[in-house]
Amino acid sequence: MDMIYKNLKRKRYLVVMDDIWSNDVWDLMTRTFPDDNNGSRIILTSRLKDVAMHADPDSPPHEMRLLSSDESWKLLHDKVFGVKHEICPPELKDIGKQVAQKCQGLPLALLVFAGHLSKIARTPESWRDVAKSVSIVAANESDKCLGVLAMSYNYLPNHLKPCFLYMGVFPEDSEVNIVTLIKLWVSEGFLGKEKLKSMEQVGRDCWEDLVSRHLIMVRKRRFNGEARTCGVHDLVRDLILREAEKEKFLQVTRTHEAMNPSAKKLHVRRYSFHPYIYEADCWEESSLIRTVHLRGFGRFFHFEHFKLLRVLVIPYFEFRDFPLEITKLVHLRYLQFWCSDDIHLLVSKLYNLQTFIFRHEALKPPTIPETIWEMKHLRHLQVVKRVFSLAIPKSGFKLENLEGLSCLNLSSCTYEMFSAIPNLKRLKIHGNWSECKRDKIYQHLDSLSCLKELEILKFKYQGRYRPQLPRKFSLPTSLKRLTLTNTLFPLEDMTNIVMLPNLEVLKIKDVFDNDEWRLNDEEIFSQLKFLLISVTFLRHWEAGSVNFPKLQRLVLRSCIGLEEIPKDFGEIYSLESIELYDCSMSAAKSVEELQEEQASMGNDCLSAVINNCVY
């Protein structure tokens, strides 16, 4: 260090430091480089965003992205033909592009396959074989990639390693719901407790850390830009399966392996079966098993083998009758399965259960037994495909830990009900005219005020006739996201929504019952960042920057009658984008004019997306 410092002193230098893994290393190395204020520069690369931010807190780091299809093909082409300045023969071009696309934009994968293609005959037949069997090529040639990718895993903090390896339970190319993933992490016991943070918040921090290291990729985002689903690159998944097998963390078993008695049994704590499981003699060490994911048929699954099971996921096989054997798995924390029968009252024996996801597709709504109120550790109750009613609990029964509930019937929304689940944060309600009397709608909606911790509320009305919501009903001031679907809402009185002090996301779908929406200067969505309006009769909209001082994104869908966007929206300094889909030509034109006006004043930050506006 002393030698480098003396040699660089009073000289102008450029130093590139590749692959810095910690703040401490950077702090140590900076002492080596003299700062003589003469234009010298240091460039560093890191897989950790925190390191880059630590090195230069005053400017954002340049984040590398995955390559586009065209860039992927160019890299592959240059590596195969560029050395000798050759050009790809026309008969290989389309096949080569297919190979490049299957590398999913990862430069390292492209280099591996370029090396493979450069070694084989340059014929359509040879290249077509590669395109058809990329996975086989990856298995044979990916050690070069995995060796580099493994460094990312080896440098992971210990608490992140099981979270990362757990991505292996999902099939290849899966889009994994992030909320579901974090629930699984919680049930597995991967997450440590932190003061002032819920387990879900700790899980979100861990997920974001893995994303910042580029080990997990965001697949889809919500309208407000928040990540919704995620996944891993194929080569990263190869790394996961390799490390999971090495550490006996997880075994992924496929059909032919389950049917083969001589197949390697790892005797691990977690099994994931893709895509089917048959009756096979592979449970001799079943006392070790804590997690089972069945991504296919569960017809021959023997529950009695798994006394200590914590996680059981059977998402695709439908049980005709409620499998009572499940109620004997008293250590379960996470349970997901599909059944055409009602939930049995003995489900309360699962007193450790935290997450219960029940898919029900019978003609009649499922019955939720009153014994559900005895499950004190329950955090999330979700019924998929059907709306359910919930009986009012007996005196003294509460679910203090329940944070998520869907899809609850509007008729079950009462003060008594919500008083028994005081810490609910996510709620999805479905209403039906035939099951909820019109004069009771106000009482049901007003009962929501009991939920002091509620952050996300989705209300959807099902049925032929849509009710008109009462003008005044109380909503929890804690609400951050609100979605209203298929209800008639009086636009002239938005008081109960405007007054929500923490509302950041508002989605209004097929709701407005008139064609004018005028906001006065006192109606201010003080924290609203995202607004979606979809399928309405809205024609005239009068509003300004004072009404939406923090709005970042405006999305309009199928608003075919809307004449124009309020002109004053150009004065909203936080506004980043306006998006129109299937709207009127006049509304699209007003957005273009607004964008041009802002550009003429030097504001190039406002983007506009206009798609299929031909009405």
Side-chain angles (χ1 to χ4, degrees), residues 73 116 216 603:
W73 166 237
H116 181 76
I216 290 181
N603 178 16

Side-chain angles (χ1 to χ4, degrees), residues 220-457:
K220 287 184 179 177
R221 294 186 179 274
R222 301 181 187 278
F223 277 116
N224 62 344
E226 180 185 352
R228 181 178 182 181
T229 64
C230 65
V232 294
H233 192 278
D234 290 347
L235 288 178
V236 174
R237 188 170 185 274
D238 288 343
L239 169 69
I240 289 173
L241 297 184
R242 188 181 75 173
E243 295 297 328
E245 181 175 330
K246 184 191 302 182
E247 298 185 15
K248 294 187 176 182
F249 177 88
L250 163 72
Q251 181 169 359
V252 176
T253 306
R254 297 167 180 83
T255 303
H256 66 280
E257 295 166 336
M259 294 294 291
N260 182 6
S262 63
K264 182 170 62 174
K265 309 293 191 304
L266 296 180
H267 308 314
V268 298
R269 288 181 177 267
R270 298 171 188 86
Y271 280 89
S272 184
F273 295 92
H274 307 163
Y276 305 105
I277 175 62
Y278 297 90
E279 192 166 15
D281 185 20
C282 57
W283 309 118
E284 53 267 42
E285 295 291 337
S286 58
S287 61
L288 292 174
I289 299 175
R290 300 292 184 270
T291 299
V292 172
H293 286 250
L294 295 179
R295 299 284 164 178
F297 297 138
R299 184 182 308 145
F300 303 114
F301 187 72
H302 299 295
F303 296 103
E304 64 271 15
H305 287 295
F306 305 93
K307 301 294 185 183
L308 301 178
L309 206 62
R310 287 185 177 184
V311 174
L312 178 60
V313 178
I314 314 175
Y316 303 124
F317 174 76
E318 182 179 11
F319 292 93
R320 183 175 180 181
D321 301 314
F322 190 94
L324 287 176
E325 299 90 345
I326 286 180
T327 62
K328 297 178 182 179
L329 306 177
V330 295
H331 295 280
L332 276 180
R333 297 180 183 177
Y334 187 104
L335 174 60
Q336 177 183 354
F337 70 100
W338 180 8
C339 183
S340 55
D341 196 7
D342 289 332
I343 299 176
H344 200 277
L345 57 87
L346 290 179
V347 75
S348 61
K349 287 190 174 183
L350 304 175
Y351 47 82
N352 288 305
L353 199 63
Q354 298 176 0
T355 298
F356 186 18
I357 302 175
F358 181 75
R359 180 174 175 179
H360 185 87
E361 292 195 2
L363 294 177
K364 65 182 183 68
T367 299
I368 307 295
E370 191 175 350
T371 55
I372 204 82
W373 293 99
E374 299 174 18
M375 304 172 71
K376 298 298 183 183
H377 296 287
L378 197 62
R379 298 170 64 87
H380 305 279
L381 174 60
Q382 179 181 355
V383 175
V384 183
K385 296 291 186 180
R386 285 291 178 267
V387 182
F388 68 91
S389 298
L390 199 56
I392 297 174
K394 295 178 182 178
S395 178
F397 281 89
K398 284 188 175 184
L399 293 179
E400 299 276 359
N401 294 307
L402 193 67
E403 294 186 1
L405 187 62
S406 66
C407 298
L408 185 65
N409 197 319
L410 180 61
S411 60
S412 294
C413 298
T414 63
Y415 289 100
E416 295 82 2
M417 170 71 68
F418 291 143
S419 296
I421 45 177
N423 296 311
L424 200 67
K425 293 183 178 180
R426 304 169 66 99
L427 175 62
K428 190 173 183 179
I429 301 173
H430 281 214
N432 192 296
W433 186 275
S434 60
E435 298 174 0
C436 187
K437 295 181 180 179
R438 185 172 183 176
D439 58 345
K440 295 287 187 180
I441 292 179
Y442 167 78
Q443 295 180 17
H444 292 309
L445 291 175
D446 205 50
S447 65
L448 292 167
S449 60
C450 291
L451 302 173
K452 305 298 184 184
E453 304 295 324
L454 193 66
E455 296 180 358
I456 301 173
L457 172 63

Side-chain angles (χ1 to χ4, degrees), residues 113-179:
F113 288 112
H116 181 76
L117 290 173
S118 64
K119 296 175 184 177
I120 64 175
R122 294 181 182 179
T123 63
E125 293 76 17
S126 299
W127 280 42
R128 201 172 286 118
D129 288 341
V130 174
K132 289 179 181 178
S133 56
V134 166
S135 59
I136 298 175
V137 176
N140 294 334
E141 303 259 346
S142 61
D143 282 348
K144 300 171 189 176
C145 290
L146 293 183
V148 177
L149 294 173
M151 292 176 61
S152 298
Y153 173 74
N154 294 332
Y155 278 98
L156 279 178
N158 288 332
H159 71 281
L160 287 181
K161 286 184 176 180
C163 297
F164 173 59
L165 294 182
Y166 204 80
M167 293 296 293
V169 305
F170 304 102
E172 190 174 352
D173 299 324
S174 291
E175 284 195 6
V176 182
N177 184 279
I178 297 166
V179 174

Side-chain angles (χ1 to χ4, degrees), residues 15-60:
V15 174
V16 180
M17 300 179 64
D18 188 37
D19 219 13
I20 305 299
W21 283 96
S22 73
N23 294 341
D24 293 339
V25 169
W26 168 252
D27 292 338
L28 178 65
M29 291 301 296
T30 51
R31 304 175 195 171
T32 308
F33 305 111
D35 185 4
D36 294 324
N37 197 25
N38 60 358
S40 295
R41 292 291 183 265
I42 301 173
I43 297 175
L44 70 88
T45 69
S46 177
R47 302 186 192 193
L48 308 179
K49 188 176 181 179
D50 290 345
V51 173
M53 295 296 293
H54 174 76
D56 188 0
D58 297 327
S59 61

Side-chain angles (χ1 to χ4, degrees), residues 524-538:
I524 302 173
F525 293 88
S526 59
Q527 301 298 322
L528 197 67
K529 298 177 181 177
F530 176 83
L531 174 62
L532 166 69
I533 302 175
S534 175
V535 194
T536 70
F537 298 108
L538 188 63

